[in-house]
């Protein structure tokens, strides 16, 4: 699976994170594998509830009760994070691996100045004095593009705009020069113009700091904007993984194709936007065989009976679909050949 | 902040006026003061002359005016039992009441904060179940009963603490536990439910994602956000203790304002009752003002317009 000679920075293998609820066990992440190389930006895409956020929390070691990592390995620089103690994990969190979240307002503590919230992480991991931490904090505030940094240092989150708050979150996350930044829907809660600014900022800082980024999103526009490689998740599993250009040009999994088709495009006029029929299956009535089978326009008898494995159709390009069992198939051609059943 | 304080102090004036009117009206609600002061066999002449001397024949608004002018000078009249200025008798008792109130609050706080946080972080564990059960029990027990039980067990049978009165440090332990138990119970439940909610907040997750220790996440990032309701309940309970430790002060013969007030009511010593009610009202107002100032120190989002 790994072609590069260099070992990947993060290598997640067969990760299983289950939630033990009163109604039974919910396998939110069910055998997910992927890797991120040094300096690479990858995205995990999928609908709400597909397990993309839980995957990122698993990497951070922040899966709360009643969730638990039940199996698999999370190798970060060849250390298995699932085997580290809580204390060992804490030295990595915020330092080597850090995270930004969806809601910049609620993600900052309302009772502390933003300056304190940034310098806290610097003092914690770099063991520097208050004075040096403050200097570094002001530098970071400048770096994330907020003018008047030494004044902003003393501001409280409620005094800043949404975009500024997300910049502060980025400053917290990047303050200790992490090797990996996990961004969980970082632009979802922001205005479109602010979204573009935040994405540009992340791109610029990534160049400057050489940080790998794992972007969690459901926004394909964001993906196209800044990612090298895409992982598409459905119902707790990876269904397609590959280079962003190849994936956008010619999606291999019917689910990915459905996602693409349901995104409005500026040069196309349509009466009605395409939508994938049906809903995501709940863990209690997970279909046997392929998990996408009941919603799939290409479904075959085989799909109903047997779950497909993740197949490598091209070098570094993986799809979990029986259609490609005997070599790569173009979905558009396949679609025209066999009219969709409604 | 300074302007806010001045405005708040000015707002106190109408409140005090209303209270003064209620306190004034108390005398009339309690019945004819003259018939209480004079023996039953007093002649009509004696009654009339006392009424005249007390100014009770004046119209009501004149009486109220005189009362306000006197009250402004700290004069609530003389206690007929002590034959002394009523307010100074009450103020003599105030420090003892404050002492008991403060010790009780400290007792309640040092139990409630760790217990509430602990049971919130170990939700539905045995510790949580025991703490929850204990707080229901603590809240349900009446003060006088708990006080008597403590005296029976720890003073009479085990002779660890004195039965009643005030003097050494040992004297304050039992009344403080008696008063503090119900408060601790209520605070524990409040802190537990608030902390459970706060620990789910995004900023707590952010603090964890920084690699901060659990204890710092809990106390610095989460508990600070729980302080507003805690300060509110502390202010309320402290003013309650200043004005309402009646039963406990009587049970333990604690020489505070509560005991004085009970005795004054029984003896119909209206000057003392009026002065007591007035002092308690001022204490409640001051506690609320203090709470408002503390809110501002905790939460920068709170603005005073």
């Amino acid at each position: 699976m790994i072609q590069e000679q260099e070992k990947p920075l993060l290598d997640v293998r067969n990760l299983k994170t289950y939630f033990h609820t009163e109604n039974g066990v919910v396998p939110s992440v069910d055998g997910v594998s992927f890797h991120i190389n040094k300096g690479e930006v990858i995205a995990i895409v999928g609908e709400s509830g597909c397990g993309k956020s839980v995957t990122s929390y698993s990497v951070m070691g922040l899966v709360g009760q009643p969730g638990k990592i039940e199996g698999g390995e999370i190798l970060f620089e060849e250390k298995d994070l699932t085997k580290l103690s809580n204390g060992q994990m804490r030295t990595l969190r915020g330092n080597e691996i850090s995270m930004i979240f969806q809601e910049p307002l609620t993600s900052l503590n309302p009772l502390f100045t933003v300056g304190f919230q940034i310098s806290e992480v610097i003092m914690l991991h770099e063991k520097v004095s208050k004075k040096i931490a403050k200097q570094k904090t002001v530098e970071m505030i400048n770096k994330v593009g907020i003018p008047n940094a030494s004044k902003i240092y003393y501001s409280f989150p409620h005094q800043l705009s949404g975009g500024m708050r997300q910049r502060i979150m980025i400053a917290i996350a990047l303050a200790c020069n992490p090797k990996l930044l996990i961004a969980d829907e970082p632009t979802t809660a922001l205005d479109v113009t602010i979204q573009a600014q935040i994405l540009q900022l992340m791109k610029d800082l990534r160049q400057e700091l050489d940080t790998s980024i794992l972007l969690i999103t459901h926004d394909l526009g964001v993906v196209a904007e800044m990612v090298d490689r895409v992982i598409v998740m459905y119902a707790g599993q990876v269904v397609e993984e590959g280079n962003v250009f190849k994936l956008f040009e010619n999606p291999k999994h019917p689910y990915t194709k459905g996602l693409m088709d349901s995104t409005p495009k500026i040069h196309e006029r349509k009466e009605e936007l395409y939508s994938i029929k049906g809903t995501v299956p709940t863990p209690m009535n997970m279909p046997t065989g392929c998990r996408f089978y009941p919603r799939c326009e290409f479904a075959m008898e085989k799909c109903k009976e047997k779950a497909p494995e993740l197949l490598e159709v091209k070098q570094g390009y993986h799809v979990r679909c029986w259609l490609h069992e005997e070599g790569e198939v173009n979905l558009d051609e396949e679609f025209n050949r066999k009219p969709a059943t409604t | 902040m300074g302007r806010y304080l001045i405005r708040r102090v000015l707002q106190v004036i109408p409140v005090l006026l209303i209270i003064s009117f209620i306190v004034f009206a108390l005398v009339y609600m309690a019945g004819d003061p003259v018939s209480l002061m004079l023996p039953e066999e007093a002649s009509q002449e004696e009654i009339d002359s006392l009424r005249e001397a007390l100014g009770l024949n004046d119209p009501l608004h004149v009486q109220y005016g005189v009362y306000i002018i006197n009250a402004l000078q700290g004069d609530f009249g003389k206690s007929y039992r002590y034959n002394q200025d009523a307010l100074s008798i009450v103020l003599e008792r105030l420090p003892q009441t404050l002492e008991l109130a403060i010790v009780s609050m400290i007792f309640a706080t040092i139990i409630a904060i760790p217990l509430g946080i602990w049971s919130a972080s170990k939700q539905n564990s045995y510790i949580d179940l025991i703490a929850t059960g204990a707080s229901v029990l603590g809240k349900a027990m009446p003060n006088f009963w708990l006080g008597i039980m403590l005296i029976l067990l720890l003073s009479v049978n085990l002779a660890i603490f004195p039965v009643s009165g005030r003097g050494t440090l040992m004297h304050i332990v039992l009344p403080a536990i008696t008063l503090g138990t119900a408060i601790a119970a209520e605070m524990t439940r409040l802190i537990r439910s608030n902390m459970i909610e706060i620990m789910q907040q995004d900023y707590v997750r952010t603090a964890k994602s920084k690699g901060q220790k659990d204890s710092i996440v809990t106390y610095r990032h989460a508990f600070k956000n729980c302080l507003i309701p805690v300060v509110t309940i502390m202010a309320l309970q402290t003013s309650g203790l200043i004005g309402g430790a009646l039963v406990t002060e009587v049970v333990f013969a604690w020489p505070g304002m509560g005991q004085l007030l009970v005795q004054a009511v029984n003896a119909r010593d209206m000057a003392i009752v009026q002065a007591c009610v007035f002092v308690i009202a001022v204490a409640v107002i001051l506690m609320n003002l203090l709470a408002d100032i503390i809110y501002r120190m905790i939460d920068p989002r709170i603005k005073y317009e």
Side-chain angles (χ1 to χ4, degrees):
Chain A
M1 184 167 159
I2 303 150
Q3 271 75 40
E4 291 79 3
Q5 290 189 329
E6 219 181 336
K7 288 261 197 281
L9 177 72
L10 180 77
D11 192 359
V12 175
R13 294 179 185 169
N14 200 22
L15 177 68
K16 291 182 176 169
T17 307
Y18 293 175
F19 284 78
H20 299 268
T21 67
E22 283 171 14
N23 301 324
V25 178
V26 179
S28 282
V29 176
D30 204 4
V32 164
S33 301
F34 66 93
H35 69 278
I36 306 174
N37 296 318
K38 289 196 178 78
E40 198 180 23
V41 180
I42 77 161
I44 300 182
V45 191
E47 288 167 87
S48 311
C50 72
K52 56 191 196 299
S53 287
V54 177
T55 304
S56 61
Y57 290 132
S58 304
V59 174
M60 285 295 279
L62 287 180
V63 178
Q65 288 293 339
K68 200 169 170 249
I69 296 178
E70 296 283 340
E73 293 172 315
I74 302 171
L75 300 173
F76 179 76
E77 297 190 309
E78 294 173 58
K79 277 182 302 237
D80 187 355
L81 302 186
T82 61
K83 295 201 168 58
L84 293 188
S85 71
N86 210 345
Q88 287 168 316
M89 243 350 253
R90 277 203 303 268
T91 61
L92 291 180
R93 238 183 259 145
N95 188 19
E96 310 234 321
I97 309 175
S98 59
M99 189 157 179
I100 53 179
F101 303 96
Q102 183 171 346
E103 289 286 345
L105 174 60
T106 54
S107 296
L108 289 167
N109 196 322
L111 306 187
F112 294 95
T113 62
V114 295
F116 173 80
Q117 297 188 54
I118 302 171
S119 61
E120 184 185 22
V121 71
I122 298 173
M123 284 197 286
L124 180 68
H125 293 295
E126 301 192 353
K127 313 267 181 254
V128 293
S129 69
K130 258 188 183 164
K131 207 179 148 196
I132 294 172
K134 194 192 160 185
Q135 273 174 14
K136 286 196 152 199
T137 300
V138 173
E139 266 170 45
M140 269 324 285
I141 298 175
N142 263 321
K143 210 180 253 181
V144 294
I146 302 178
N148 231 337
S150 44
K151 202 176 143 229
I152 293 293
Y153 184 95
Y154 296 102
S155 302
F156 287 94
H158 72 278
Q159 295 166 325
L160 305 178
S161 67
M164 289 223 288
R165 286 183 210 131
Q166 194 60 300
R167 285 169 194 268
I168 296 293
M169 280 303 294
I170 293 175
I172 293 174
L174 297 182
C176 296
N177 275 338
K179 292 175 179 147
L180 175 66
L181 172 68
I182 301 173
D184 186 6
E185 309 255 6
T187 57
T188 309
L190 303 172
D191 291 345
V192 185
T193 47
I194 309 295
Q195 278 187 16
Q197 289 173 16
I198 294 291
L199 288 179
Q200 189 60 45
L201 174 70
M202 284 174 64
K203 272 202 240 173
D204 294 346
L205 290 175
R206 186 213 143 207
Q207 292 276 320
E208 194 182 326
L209 305 172
D210 199 30
T211 304
S212 305
I213 298 178
L214 171 60
L215 187 68
I216 311 290
T217 186
H218 64 261
D219 185 341
L220 293 172
V222 172
V223 173
E225 187 79 12
M226 62 181 292
V227 170
D228 302 320
R229 204 150 45 81
V230 185
I231 292 162
V232 182
M233 276 183 75
Y234 182 78
Q237 292 181 328
V238 175
V239 293
E240 182 160 359
E241 186 218 332
N243 176 284
V244 65
F245 297 111
K246 287 179 188 155
L247 188 132
F248 268 71
E249 196 183 16
N250 187 5
K252 298 273 173 263
H253 196 283
Y255 175 64
T256 318
K257 182 175 158 49
L259 280 186
M260 303 277 183
D261 289 348
S262 52
T263 312
K265 290 172 193 72
I266 203 153
H267 53 270
E268 272 177 31
R269 284 187 74 85
K270 277 185 179 171
E271 287 295 310
E272 203 179 325
L273 198 60
Y274 175 83
S275 67
I276 303 173
K277 62 180 179 180
T279 50
V280 183
T282 61
M284 305 309 155
N285 55 18
M286 197 56 82
T288 52
C290 174
R291 293 185 176 182
F292 190 58
Y293 156 74
R295 305 174 73 188
C296 183
E297 296 184 351
F298 302 90
M300 305 177 286
E301 269 309 301
K302 190 175 190 181
C303 308
K304 201 174 179 177
E305 283 146 21
K306 211 169 159 222
E309 294 294 311
L310 201 59
L311 302 165
E312 183 161 25
V313 287
K314 269 187 286 208
Q315 202 186 35
Y317 201 106
H318 299 81
V319 182
R320 191 187 294 275
C321 181
W322 287 124
L323 279 176
H324 306 280
E325 193 188 6
E326 285 153 13
E328 203 181 330
V329 173
N330 187 314
L331 288 189
D332 283 325
E333 286 167 18
E334 186 74 5
F335 192 72
N336 294 334
R337 199 155 51 86
K338 189 170 82 179
T341 47
T342 43
Chain B
M1 191 73 166
R3 282 181 59 192
Y4 167 73
L5 265 183
I6 293 167
R7 200 173 311 142
R8 271 307 303 262
V9 172
L10 291 177
Q11 279 170 4
V12 167
I13 294 171
V15 178
L16 279 180
L17 271 175
I18 294 167
I19 291 166
S20 72
F21 181 75
I22 295 169
V23 171
F24 173 74
L26 272 179
V27 180
Y28 287 87
M29 288 190 275
D32 186 1
V34 174
S35 65
L36 298 173
M37 288 171 162
L38 290 175
E40 274 178 42
E41 61 275 11
S43 70
Q44 189 59 42
E45 238 169 61
E46 284 172 312
I47 292 174
D48 287 343
S49 64
L50 186 61
R51 288 190 74 88
E52 191 61 42
L54 290 172
L56 293 174
N57 292 331
D58 295 335
L60 209 57
H61 62 272
V62 175
Q63 288 186 41
Y64 181 61
V66 171
Y67 162 79
I68 282 288
I69 290 163
N70 288 337
L72 276 178
Q73 294 161 347
D75 179 7
F76 287 88
K78 269 189 180 175
S79 156
Y80 77 90
R81 281 172 70 226
Y82 296 90
N83 202 23
Q84 260 182 47
D85 176 41
L87 186 65
S88 59
I89 295 174
V90 173
L91 289 180
E92 258 169 44
R93 298 292 193 97
L94 184 62
Q96 283 88 284
T97 291
L98 285 180
E99 177 186 291
L100 183 58
I102 290 167
V103 175
S104 306
M105 277 316 291
I106 292 173
F107 168 76
T109 312
I110 56 177
I111 287 186
I113 290 178
L115 196 61
I117 292 176
W118 199 16
S119 61
S121 59
K122 301 241 186 303
Q123 207 182 332
N124 298 330
S125 65
Y126 283 112
I127 292 158
D128 183 29
L129 289 177
I130 292 168
T132 308
S135 40
V136 171
L137 195 66
K139 190 89 188 81
M141 275 188 296
N143 268 345
F144 67 89
W145 183 83
L146 178 62
I148 292 167
M149 288 302 129
L150 285 173
I151 292 173
L152 274 179
L153 182 68
L154 297 175
S155 305
V156 177
N157 287 338
L158 299 175
I160 303 172
F161 297 104
V163 175
S164 66
R166 176 175 173 270
T168 64
L169 211 58
M170 295 298 263
H171 280 91
I172 204 168
V173 175
L174 293 188
I177 292 176
T178 305
L179 287 172
T181 300
I183 297 170
E186 201 177 332
M187 274 174 78
T188 304
R189 289 171 67 83
L190 179 96
I191 292 170
R192 177 184 179 272
S193 63
N194 271 283
M195 280 299 283
I196 287 173
E197 203 188 307
I198 289 167
M199 290 304 282
Q200 310 286 330
Q201 297 294 315
D202 291 349
Y203 52 77
V204 171
R205 185 183 58 190
T206 305
K208 285 182 191 161
S209 80
K210 286 175 177 177
Q212 226 17 309
K213 274 190 204 140
D214 290 349
S215 58
I216 294 184
V217 171
T218 305
Y219 281 91
R220 183 192 285 168
H221 289 274
F223 185 62
K224 194 172 178 193
N225 278 279
C226 183
L227 279 180
I228 298 271
V230 171
V231 168
T232 308
I233 199 168
M234 282 177 78
L236 271 175
Q237 295 288 0
T238 308
S239 27
L241 285 181
I242 293 170
L246 310 179
V247 179
T248 308
E249 287 192 4
V250 172
V251 168
F252 287 94
W254 186 263
M257 245 169 27
Q259 195 195 33
L260 180 73
L261 184 58
V262 171
Q263 288 165 355
V265 168
N266 285 336
R268 309 227 169 155
D269 191 348
M270 294 318 287
I272 297 263
V273 174
Q274 284 181 327
C276 263
V277 172
F278 186 78
V279 168
I280 290 164
V282 171
V284 172
I285 290 170
L286 285 180
M287 286 312 300
N288 283 334
L289 185 62
L290 187 67
D292 277 352
I293 294 167
I294 296 173
Y295 289 163
R296 179 69 182 82
M297 285 158 61
I298 296 167
D299 193 337
R301 289 169 298 180
I302 294 173
K303 285 213 178 65
Y304 299 122
E305 297 304 333

